[in-house]
Amino acid sequence: MEFRIRKADEQDLPGIMHIMEEAKHNPQHPDWFMADDQDYVRDHLQEKGFVLVAVAPEGKIAGFFMVKYPEREKHLGEFLGYTEEQMDHTAVMDSAAVDSAYQGNGLQRKMAFAAEALIDRSQYQYLLCTIHPDNKYSLSNMRSQGYEVRADVECYGGRRRYVLEKCL
């Protein structure tokens, strides 16, 4: 099955939110995904980062991948002892999910690759993300892209996460 990966816009918001809600309510792994609200996603469509979507052949949003250009408050770099300069040059691979009907097509990996291609490497030299330690699928996807586990922390209200880093 061929999927098209492109930057998301306002019209994609309902599809993104649907996938986010599905991931949030996954009965097998309720702690793996932290959903954001619609305003947060809207802010990242253009201003505070960007969002990619994978579009299925029939036109349905099959998955999304959100990149955040973080502010200093609650910066993941703090877990790694980043300097202020490093924090200024960090992008966060913030959130990703794939509709259950399209899982198994390598979409998270493909969207992560496409997202990295859009990041301005003259501005951002560090990429960070968090993944639940038991989420072997996301860990495998991000490790295959060159990310390494750098810390095991509690964040997002006391939830355990690995912080992964990739230096560009």
Side-chain angles (χ1 to χ4, degrees):
M1 188 177 301
E2 287 291 320
F3 295 86
R4 185 169 52 97
I5 297 173
R6 62 167 172 76
K7 272 192 163 182
D9 59 34
E10 187 80 21
Q11 293 178 338
D12 298 316
L13 203 51
I16 293 167
M17 296 312 296
H18 171 77
I19 293 168
M20 197 172 284
E21 282 299 311
E22 180 187 47
K24 175 183 166 183
H25 292 100
N26 181 329
Q28 295 173 317
H29 310 290
D31 207 33
W32 282 14
F33 188 81
M34 292 295 301
D36 297 303
D37 64 26
Q38 193 166 325
D39 289 335
Y40 182 88
V41 177
R42 184 178 286 114
D43 285 346
H44 289 81
L45 286 174
Q46 293 180 357
E47 295 175 26
K48 296 183 178 181
F50 62 90
V51 182
L52 296 180
V53 289
V55 182
E58 68 276 9
K60 183 178 178 187
I61 303 296
F64 73 90
F65 197 103
M66 186 170 7
V67 176
K68 175 181 177 179
Y69 301 135
E71 298 164 352
R72 287 289 169 84
E73 189 176 312
K74 298 181 182 179
H75 196 293
L76 289 176
E78 292 176 8
F79 291 117
L80 305 182
Y82 273 21
T83 65
E84 286 189 29
E85 183 177 346
Q86 286 174 301
M87 287 189 207
D88 288 341
H89 297 286
T90 299
V92 175
M93 309 312 250
D94 190 51
S95 184
V98 175
D99 186 301
S100 60
Y102 299 101
Q103 290 175 356
N105 286 290
L107 291 178
Q108 181 182 6
R109 182 176 290 134
K110 291 173 186 173
M111 289 186 292
F113 183 77
E116 282 187 25
L118 294 175
I119 291 173
D120 180 354
R121 291 173 184 247
S122 68
Q123 174 66 30
Y124 301 101
Q125 287 85 47
Y126 306 97
L127 304 178
L128 300 178
C129 68
T130 61
I131 298 175
H132 190 283
D134 296 333
N135 188 341
K136 63 183 180 182
Y137 308 105
S138 290
L139 279 171
S140 174
N141 284 333
M142 298 312 278
R143 283 181 166 154
S144 74
Q145 302 267 39
Y147 290 77
E148 296 181 29
V149 175
R150 294 290 187 213
D152 185 341
V153 302
E154 282 190 11
C155 53
Y156 312 129
R159 296 173 192 247
R160 187 170 169 226
R161 294 291 188 266
Y162 286 152
V163 177
L164 286 81
E165 174 192 55
K166 179 175 181 176
C167 298
L168 298 176

